[in-house]
Amino acid sequence: MQEELNQFERNAVWKLVPRPNDHLVIGTKWVVRNKQDECGIVVRNKARLVAKGFNQKEGIDYEETFAPVARLEAIRMLLAYASSNDFKLFQMDVKSAFLNGFISEEVYIEQPPGFENSLLPNHVFKLTKALYGLKQAPRASFERLSSILISNDFTKGKVDTTLFVKHFENNFLIIQIYVVDIIFSFSNK
């Protein structure tokens, strides 16, 4: 749990502020899961702090939730293209992906259960970035990643907006985004 909270501090996800009277304060809860290896042996205990986003009201606490997701057909096409051109594919999982998305709405959450500030127990956290469980978290995360890629000379696909390509003279780098996973390949080893 402390590791998760440290990640929030490193990513500047929130700021402790006095409880507002004119805004909804969303509750939080811990979701705990045991990560197992292929033999079923527990190798790591994982705790994630999530917002109780079911309390959010559309038009008040968030505007847009939709985030583009690569269709299975698009991923198959990328795999087929890479295979037919003998490209090596790579896959990566973005750790704490939702904690990277900036939110434009004013969102407040309760202090994490068991980790309340003893000097300021009635204060709440004002979010600057998305948190798992918020309705707008997937969209905020995708928009941040998309803007970073575009600012680094990638072009977004016109039909599939989860596909990004960057050209280097006669070569290119191709990236396909699927929620928090990224598949990428290069035309030149």
Side-chain angles (χ1 to χ4, degrees):
M1 290 176 174
Q2 189 60 55
E3 181 183 327
E4 176 87 345
L5 295 176
N6 291 342
Q7 184 86 348
F8 288 11
E9 293 300 320
R10 280 192 301 276
N11 284 332
V13 171
W14 55 29
K15 184 169 67 168
L16 194 61
V17 298
R19 181 181 295 272
N21 293 327
D22 58 343
H23 276 73
L24 169 73
V25 177
I26 299 169
T28 59
K29 68 178 181 177
W30 289 102
V31 176
V32 182
R33 184 181 316 139
N34 293 326
K35 296 281 188 169
Q36 300 176 346
D37 65 10
E38 59 276 354
C39 298
I41 298 170
V42 175
V43 293
R44 185 167 182 250
N45 299 46
K46 173 82 174 153
R48 175 164 283 152
L49 182 69
V50 298
K52 295 180 181 177
F54 55 82
N55 292 329
Q56 290 183 284
K57 304 265 188 282
E58 185 174 5
I60 298 171
D61 302 309
Y62 67 92
E63 294 299 325
E64 188 67 54
T65 62
F66 174 77
V69 176
R71 294 181 54 166
L72 187 54
E73 294 85 355
I75 294 171
R76 285 182 178 156
M77 287 176 60
L78 175 60
L79 295 174
Y81 183 77
S83 177
S84 68
N85 289 290
D86 202 27
F87 294 170
K88 187 171 184 178
L89 280 169
F90 300 89
Q91 185 272 337
M92 62 184 265
D93 176 26
V94 181
K95 187 175 180 182
S96 302
F98 285 2
L99 304 181
N100 292 305
F102 291 107
I103 55 174
S104 56
E105 301 88 0
E106 202 169 333
V107 178
Y108 298 89
I109 62 165
E110 297 285 353
Q111 293 185 47
F115 291 87
E116 294 86 357
N117 185 315
S118 59
L119 300 176
L120 303 167
N122 294 321
H123 278 50
V124 296
F125 282 109
K126 180 179 181 183
L127 296 178
T128 56
K129 293 185 179 174
L131 187 67
Y132 290 95
L134 291 178
K135 303 284 189 191
Q136 63 268 50
R139 183 176 184 85
S141 175
F142 179 83
E143 285 178 348
R144 174 98 191 270
L145 179 55
S146 178
S147 68
I148 289 170
L149 290 172
I150 290 169
S151 71
N152 283 285
D153 301 322
F154 281 83
T155 55
K156 187 188 287 192
K158 289 181 179 24
V159 175
D160 182 354
T161 58
T162 64
L163 183 73
F164 295 84
V165 179
K166 182 173 182 174
H167 293 275
F168 306 89
E169 297 172 13
N170 295 329
N171 298 301
F172 60 89
L173 165 60
I174 189 166
I175 295 177
Q176 182 81 60
I177 300 171
Y178 186 80
V179 190
V180 297
D181 291 301
I182 298 174
I183 303 169
F184 59 99
S185 184
F186 307 94
S187 61
N188 185 328
K189 294 176 186 175

